[in-house]
Amino acid sequence: MLSVLCDRTYRHLFTAQIIALVGTGLATVALGLLAYDLAGANAGSVLGTALAIKMVAYVTIAPAVGAVADRLPRRVLLVGADLTRAGVALTLPFVHQVWQVYVLIFLLQAASAAFTPTFQAVVPDALPAERDYTRALSLSRLAYDLESLFSPALAAALLSLTTYNWLFVGTVFGFLGSAALVVSAVLPEPVAASATGGGTVYAKATRGTRLFFATPQLRALLALNLAVAAASAMVTVNSVVYVRDQLAHSVTDVSLALGAYGGSSMIVALLLPRLLDRVADRTVMLRGAMVLTLVFAALGTITVAGNGAWRWPALLVTWAAFGAACSMVLTPTGRLIRRAAPPEERTSAFAAQFSLSHSCWLLTYPLAGWLGAVAGLQSAVVALGAIALAASLLAVRLWPSRDGMSVEHEHTDLPDGHPHLVGASRIPAGWCHSHDRPVGADGLHAG
């Protein structure tokens, strides 16, 4: 897997991603402490609002970035986003009002919504071989999971030596380091802007979303995003409730539960590249989604059980199963988008995935918290489990078993000769972009 780091461009980009993630993790811890200083007992409300603002920024800004990405050099877009995030982080220690936190959080997350889809679109161009790209996706999944484990530990170590305001300084250096690495990398040239065709700003902003709704595999991915959001919301929002209230364990055990989730996700991410060399993405992703529904059933058993020492190890196993299943769905996602979108549309497609997936979290996070607090954890398990089951079954129905990556209707704003369209619905006869294998006139694989 580490062989892809021999590529200098990807090595610099991956290192930039890690440094930026650590900076973000430090900012998350510091933001919680800042909210407590400003709002006291209402800090939870402040953080909840900040999380909602983050999701709104992701959902609204990412498509707008897709609309203008072809007009800006990738390096300018990536470095500009990093510098914006560094500037916001530098300002946060000096705020004295809650509304100022909200404004700065929106700016910070808007910059992240510009950086992430652009970064995701650069990687497949830097690593054109699918085998290498698959390993890069696994490394990226590992980076996200490691950040969730490493950043809080680093923050705790730093807080033993200094105040939380200095964590924001660490965030600033993280984003500046990321920008420097992007500048030092030789980024691949994108497809010429003229290849994407004309159209209004609205048409460009919605191009990626329309591609999702036009392609069966990407429609299935939308459903899979919802299933993953239901599971991750249950873990993120209610871990502390299960550990502290249901099981009467210590604050340290909350970290253990979250570590079980992240650790199993990393193990699966390490194993998937070899598996995906032999097994289709459809098989891995759909089975991961169905595992989520089974895990919700197991969680329901733990929730209704009144007592028993077995519930703590069972919860750890359940959280680990959630992490493994989510990783099965999330890790191959980039491969699916790369196959569905031609090179000149990749930024728009990744921006659409970024926006649409966070729309799912915008739904499930408040639902997990509200149901858990008002109706009890069992109601939250039933509701989110039902969402995961319905979304998984819908994904199975939407994703054709003979994966031909067809598009079902015409994109009127796309240029003639679009590589994925023949007339209104088919890939060009003679070649299949999704598997690099010949296809017949009926759109099915030959041989």
Side-chain angles (χ1 to χ4, degrees):
M1 180 188 297
L2 297 180
S3 60
V4 294
L5 295 176
C6 294
D7 184 281
R8 183 179 183 275
T9 296
Y10 176 69
R11 183 171 65 251
H12 282 226
L13 291 174
F14 181 64
T15 306
Q17 180 189 24
I18 290 176
I19 293 176
L21 283 174
V22 172
T24 302
L26 293 177
T28 301
V29 175
L31 184 62
L33 297 172
L34 173 63
Y36 185 79
D37 272 359
L38 293 176
N42 294 322
S45 175
V46 172
L47 289 175
T49 303
L51 178 61
I53 290 172
K54 169 184 175 179
M55 293 299 171
V56 170
Y58 284 176
V59 170
T60 57
I61 298 299
V65 172
V68 302
D70 59 344
R71 302 181 182 180
L72 296 173
R74 286 170 162 176
R75 194 188 310 276
V76 171
L77 197 54
L78 291 171
V79 173
D82 270 335
L83 294 180
T84 300
R85 295 191 290 184
V88 171
L90 188 60
T91 307
L92 277 169
F94 303 103
V95 304
H96 301 289
Q97 301 292 329
V98 170
W99 69 266
Q100 296 170 341
V101 175
Y102 295 155
V103 172
L104 291 174
I105 288 301
F106 181 83
L107 293 175
L108 179 70
Q109 303 305 339
S112 294
F115 181 92
T116 303
T118 306
F119 175 88
Q120 292 172 333
V122 170
V123 174
D125 289 342
L127 299 172
E130 184 168 279
R131 179 183 177 88
D132 291 338
Y133 182 52
T134 301
R135 280 144 183 79
L137 291 175
S138 293
L139 286 176
S140 181
R141 185 77 249 151
L142 284 171
Y144 280 108
D145 290 331
L146 280 171
E147 182 276 324
S148 66
L149 299 175
F150 175 73
S151 291
L154 177 61
L158 292 174
L159 287 171
S160 68
L161 302 174
T162 185
T163 63
Y164 72 82
N165 281 336
W166 287 99
L167 297 184
F168 289 120
V169 177
T171 299
V172 171
F173 281 113
F175 290 136
L176 291 178
S178 173
L181 285 163
V182 171
V183 169
S184 67
V186 181
L187 300 185
E189 290 293 330
V191 173
S194 60
T196 61
T200 64
V201 172
Y202 173 80
K204 291 181 178 181
T206 59
R207 179 184 286 118
T209 301
R210 285 180 286 116
L211 178 65
F212 264 73
F213 284 102
T215 310
Q217 292 81 355
L218 296 186
R219 288 205 300 269
L221 178 57
L222 293 178
L224 292 173
N225 285 334
L226 183 57
V228 168
S232 61
M234 198 69 206
V235 173
T236 302
V237 174
N238 288 320
S239 285
V240 66
V241 183
Y242 271 102
V243 175
R244 299 288 286 150
D245 291 345
Q246 285 274 307
L247 302 177
H249 276 243
S250 67
V251 174
T252 304
D253 287 338
V254 176
S255 299
L256 289 176
L258 294 174
Y261 176 86
S264 65
S265 177
M266 287 189 289
I267 292 172
V268 171
L270 283 169
L271 297 176
L272 274 181
R274 290 184 180 275
L275 179 63
L276 291 171
D277 287 341
R278 304 187 302 273
V279 181
D281 294 352
R282 181 183 188 274
T283 301
V284 172
M285 296 174 74
L286 292 182
R287 288 185 180 178
M290 297 309 298
V291 168
L292 288 176
T293 65
L294 297 177
V295 179
F296 267 110
L299 181 60
T301 302
I302 297 172
T303 306
V304 298
N307 50 49
W310 62 271
R311 291 187 302 158
W312 169 238
L315 183 72
L316 291 179
V317 172
T318 301
W319 259 220
F322 269 139
C326 286
S327 189
M328 290 174 67
V329 177
L330 293 175
T331 303
T333 294
R335 287 163 49 109
L336 205 62
I337 298 172
R338 181 196 194 194
R339 291 169 177 169
E344 67 272 17
E345 289 186 34
R346 280 182 185 156
T347 301
S348 294
F350 279 107
Q353 163 64 8
F354 190 80
S355 174
L356 294 169
S357 63
H358 283 89
S359 297
C360 296
W361 282 316
L362 187 59
L363 168 68
T364 57
Y365 277 177
L367 186 62
W370 179 79
L371 280 177
V374 174
L377 286 176
Q378 185 61 25
S379 297
V381 172
V382 171
L384 292 171
I387 289 174
L389 175 60
S392 300
L393 293 176
L394 180 61
V396 172
R397 182 175 179 84
L398 290 174
W399 197 332
S401 57
R402 298 182 69 90
D403 188 346
M405 201 61 74
S406 61
V407 181
E408 291 190 347
H409 65 267
E410 185 174 5
H411 296 274
T412 56
D413 65 310
L414 297 179
D416 293 337
H418 187 285
H420 289 273
L421 301 176
V422 171
S425 65
R426 293 287 185 181
I427 317 171
W431 191 255
C432 176
H433 176 70
S434 66
H435 292 284
D436 293 338
R437 289 194 292 154
V439 298
D442 62 351
L444 301 178
H445 292 294

